[in-house]
Each structure stands twice: as C-alpha cells, then as structure tokens.
C-alpha cells in the first residue's frame, strides 16, 4: 500500500469524504498551487481533471517533474 495519500479537492463535501481515508492529506487548493519536491510521488492520478484545465500541458510537466523515474501517471479524460 501507499504510505501517504495527497489529494486536491476544491468541493467541501467531496473533500470531507476523501479526508476520511487513512494517512490522507487533502487540500482545498488546486494541484497547480501546490509544490512538491522532484521525484516525490510513486503514483499520480488525474481523473476527469485534464479536460477542465486551461493549460493541461503545464500540469503534465509538473506531474512529470514530481513523479519518481519509475512512477505512474493515471489520467482519465472525457
């Protein structure tokens, strides 16, 4: 399993549900507003996120920088 879970959820009811997960850190900020070290994450998921962004390329570049070399990006778009 994963040691720590980080999430971004701007909607208060959804954030409250997500915050109940063990070892979770759920932010009301958007991913673009948060800063993590290079090679930080093992796994990043973006489910129905990229299709709502003005500049998805910059978010993908950020994710690439923050993913470990053997990390996985899981994305779902409409």
């Amino acid at each position: 399993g994963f040691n720590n879970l980080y999430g971004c959820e701007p909607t208060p009811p959804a954030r409250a549900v997500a915050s109940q997960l063990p070892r979770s850190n759920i932010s009301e900020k958007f991913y673009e507003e948060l800063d993590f070290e290079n090679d930080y994450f093992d796994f990043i998921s973006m489910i129905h996120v990229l299709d709502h962004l003005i500049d998805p390329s910059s978010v993908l570049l950020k994710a690439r920088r923050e993913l470990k070399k053997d990390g996985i990006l899981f994305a779902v778009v409409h």
Side-chain angles (χ1 to χ4, degrees):
F2 297 106
N3 292 328
N4 294 302
L5 301 174
Y6 292 90
C8 304
E9 180 51 64
T11 309
R15 189 171 53 252
V17 171
S19 295
Q20 295 176 12
L21 293 169
R23 298 179 310 279
S24 65
N25 303 285
I26 310 300
S27 174
E28 64 186 28
K29 295 182 179 182
F30 291 99
Y31 176 63
E32 303 95 282
E33 300 174 289
L34 301 173
D35 190 37
F36 295 94
E37 297 174 18
N38 291 351
D39 306 315
Y40 188 79
F41 291 111
D42 296 303
F43 182 86
I44 295 176
S45 69
M46 296 183 184
I47 300 172
H48 301 296
V49 172
L50 295 172
D51 39 346
H52 297 283
L53 300 176
I54 293 170
D55 187 6
S57 297
S58 68
V59 172
L60 289 171
L61 289 171
K62 176 180 172 19
R64 181 179 177 194
R65 179 179 53 80
E66 293 176 351
L67 268 174
K68 292 180 180 176
K69 185 175 182 169
D70 59 347
I72 296 170
L73 172 66
F74 178 79
V76 175
V77 295
H78 292 269

